[in-house]
Amino acid sequence: MAMADAAVLFDPNSEALLQERYSVYRLMRERAPVYEVPGFGFPVRMLFRYDDVGAVLKSPAFVRQARNAGRELPVREEMLPIQQIFATWMLLRDPPDHTRLRALVSKAFTPRTVQEMAGFIQKTAEALLDRVAGQSTFDLLRDFASPLPVMVIARLLGAPDEDRELFRGWAQLIAAFLGAWSIDDVPPESPRAALEMAGYMRRLLDERRRSPREDLLSALLAAEEDGNRLTHDEVIGTAIMLLTAGHETTVNLIANGTYALLKNPDQVERLRRSPELLPLAVEELLRYDSPVQMTARHCARPAEVGGVPFERGTGVFLVLGSANRDPGSFPDPDQLDVGRTPNNHLAFGHGIHYCVGAGLARLEAEIAFASLLPRLPVLALREEPRYVANMAFRALEALPVAWRA
């Protein structure tokens, strides 16, 4: 397929890509699975097939930081506040920094810490659903999918519940930066949001230094590995990373998953008959409409992917959402199958950057869908929802529903 034809098909600003993303992905897998992306001023490729995406995610030839591939990316001065925060995120770092940061964060973000949140998540989910029980119509995104994860992350970090609306606004603006196709698409409020969030976390950390508590911030401050500790800026950056990346993706998982179930009532009935399928259903919802659609790498040394040679310095976009619909890896990939197994999706990534918060996201989703399940048969979509214009995250603008009469 000629590059010009592929560029027309994969237009980041097109309504088709925004609303009918998986149809575009299918055509790209078939016609331009290794797509040369125009307009960057240096070689950039986009990968759409499962095997190619998975190979790059686990290959040491591809790195997170452009400078480790011999390339310096331009940064606008007004975007420096966000870039300085991102520089502390282990998600965006390479070894040895990534190895050190992940070891320290893992000491604070343990399976036990996650599991201890189960009771709070269950209580919060039920309270949120009880609150809308008397309303004839409501926005399931605004009233359930969004507040649940932000209340969980606030509780985990040890932040006051009343600040959750601040968290949601900040996280959305940071996510808008992460998912912008070009710097011109970044909301001008995003740098301010980064500064405000950093200032908030700095005040909270100062309190924890004076008076530690049983929360994640205190655990991050105390975490030590081989004599190393997180620096003050790294603790702040890690807290912002968990709040933004963890919260935003879980909101999308619950909202996208609920939308998929409402569109597939046969799968809802299957879950109601066999609730033990719920863990498999969460994995399938992660695959079917992945909360994170795209991630990036840089080629640090000559390599070959999909039969195509990659030179050092080449930028690479990995389209996770397309990989998870690849018929070469998933039979009937466009069908929702809540009992699908095996299900080796890439929604949480792969390799050394596999999502550190995957356990918490799964727990939240299982509890959220278990709480929703008895109510889904009497819920109906009021209208087809629209998606937010964001290349990295698959996020609904709203999810308007009504109780059936």
Side-chain angles (χ1 to χ4, degrees), residues 196-214:
E196 289 179 357
M197 198 185 302
Y200 179 94
M201 290 301 175
R202 190 171 290 109
R203 291 189 296 273
L204 213 55
L205 281 172
D206 288 343
E207 292 177 11
R208 294 302 180 272
R209 286 186 189 280
R210 293 191 299 268
S211 180
R213 299 183 187 177
E214 295 293 323

Side-chain angles (χ1 to χ4, degrees), residues 105-381:
V105 172
S106 296
K107 281 187 169 295
F109 207 74
T110 64
R112 178 181 174 184
T113 301
V114 169
Q115 197 56 46
E116 286 175 348
M117 294 294 295
F120 175 78
I121 297 169
Q122 181 71 58
K123 181 180 176 181
T124 305
E126 292 294 339
L128 289 169
L129 289 171
D130 287 345
R131 193 177 300 168
V132 296
Q135 302 176 22
S136 58
T137 64
F138 64 100
D139 181 350
L140 199 142
L141 172 62
R142 181 195 63 209
D143 296 328
F144 182 69
S146 178
L148 178 60
V150 79
M151 291 169 79
V152 170
I153 200 70
R155 175 70 168 249
L156 192 64
L157 289 171
D161 286 344
E162 58 267 23
D163 292 341
R164 63 177 183 266
E165 286 304 315
L166 288 174
F167 290 173
R168 178 64 176 149
W170 288 332
Q172 287 179 319
L173 286 167
I174 299 295
F177 178 93
L178 289 168
W181 186 248
S182 76
I183 204 72
D184 293 328
D185 298 329
V186 176
E189 300 87 0
S190 290
R192 174 185 53 77
L195 288 172
E196 289 179 357
M197 198 185 302
Y200 179 94
M201 290 301 175
R202 190 171 290 109
R203 291 189 296 273
L204 213 55
L205 281 172
D206 288 343
E207 292 177 11
R208 294 302 180 272
R209 286 186 189 280
R210 293 191 299 268
S211 180
R213 299 183 187 177
E214 295 293 323
D215 57 36
L216 187 59
L217 281 182
S218 298
L220 288 171
L221 285 170
E224 186 169 359
E225 177 81 6
D226 296 331
N228 291 317
R229 288 180 181 266
L230 293 166
T231 68
H232 194 65
D233 286 344
E234 286 170 346
V235 176
I236 292 170
T238 299
I240 293 173
M241 180 190 73
L242 294 173
L243 175 61
T244 303
H247 159 258
E248 192 68 20
T249 53
T250 310
V251 170
N252 297 342
L253 169 56
I254 296 171
N256 298 352
T258 303
Y259 177 44
L261 290 171
L262 289 171
K263 297 288 286 184
N264 292 271
D266 61 316
Q267 296 301 298
V268 174
E269 186 56 33
R270 187 179 174 193
L271 275 176
R272 284 167 60 81
R273 290 196 310 268
S274 305
E276 70 277 5
L277 291 177
L278 195 54
L280 290 178
V282 169
E283 300 306 313
E284 175 67 349
L285 294 169
L286 281 159
R287 180 202 71 83
Y288 183 77
D289 202 9
S290 306
V292 177
Q293 291 280 302
M294 191 182 299
T295 187
R297 296 293 187 272
H298 303 271
C299 187
R301 60 175 185 263
E304 184 176 295
V305 182
V308 177
F310 282 62
E311 64 183 43
R312 174 175 164 81
T314 300
V316 189
F317 288 118
L318 307 173
V319 190
L320 306 176
S322 175
N324 287 336
R325 293 284 190 108
D326 189 337
S329 296
F330 303 96
D332 298 319
D334 296 324
Q335 298 299 312
L336 183 69
D337 176 2
V338 295
R340 186 183 296 270
T341 184
N343 193 344
N344 298 314
H345 63 76
L346 300 174
F348 288 126
H350 191 53
I352 65 170
H353 286 93
Y354 186 83
C355 176
V356 73
L360 179 60
R362 287 186 167 108
L363 178 65
E364 285 186 63
E366 281 191 35
I367 293 173
F369 291 125
S371 300
L372 275 169
L373 196 55
R375 299 164 169 92
L376 284 176
V378 292
L379 276 178
L381 283 170

Side-chain angles (χ1 to χ4, degrees), residues 80-119:
L80 279 175
I82 291 185
Q83 296 287 15
Q84 288 167 349
I85 289 171
F86 287 169
T88 65
W89 286 19
M90 68 177 186
L91 178 67
L92 304 176
R93 303 282 285 278
D94 294 316
D97 290 332
H98 172 269
T99 308
R100 177 183 65 86
L101 289 168
R102 191 175 182 99
L104 289 165
V105 172
S106 296
K107 281 187 169 295
F109 207 74
T110 64
R112 178 181 174 184
T113 301
V114 169
Q115 197 56 46
E116 286 175 348
M117 294 294 295

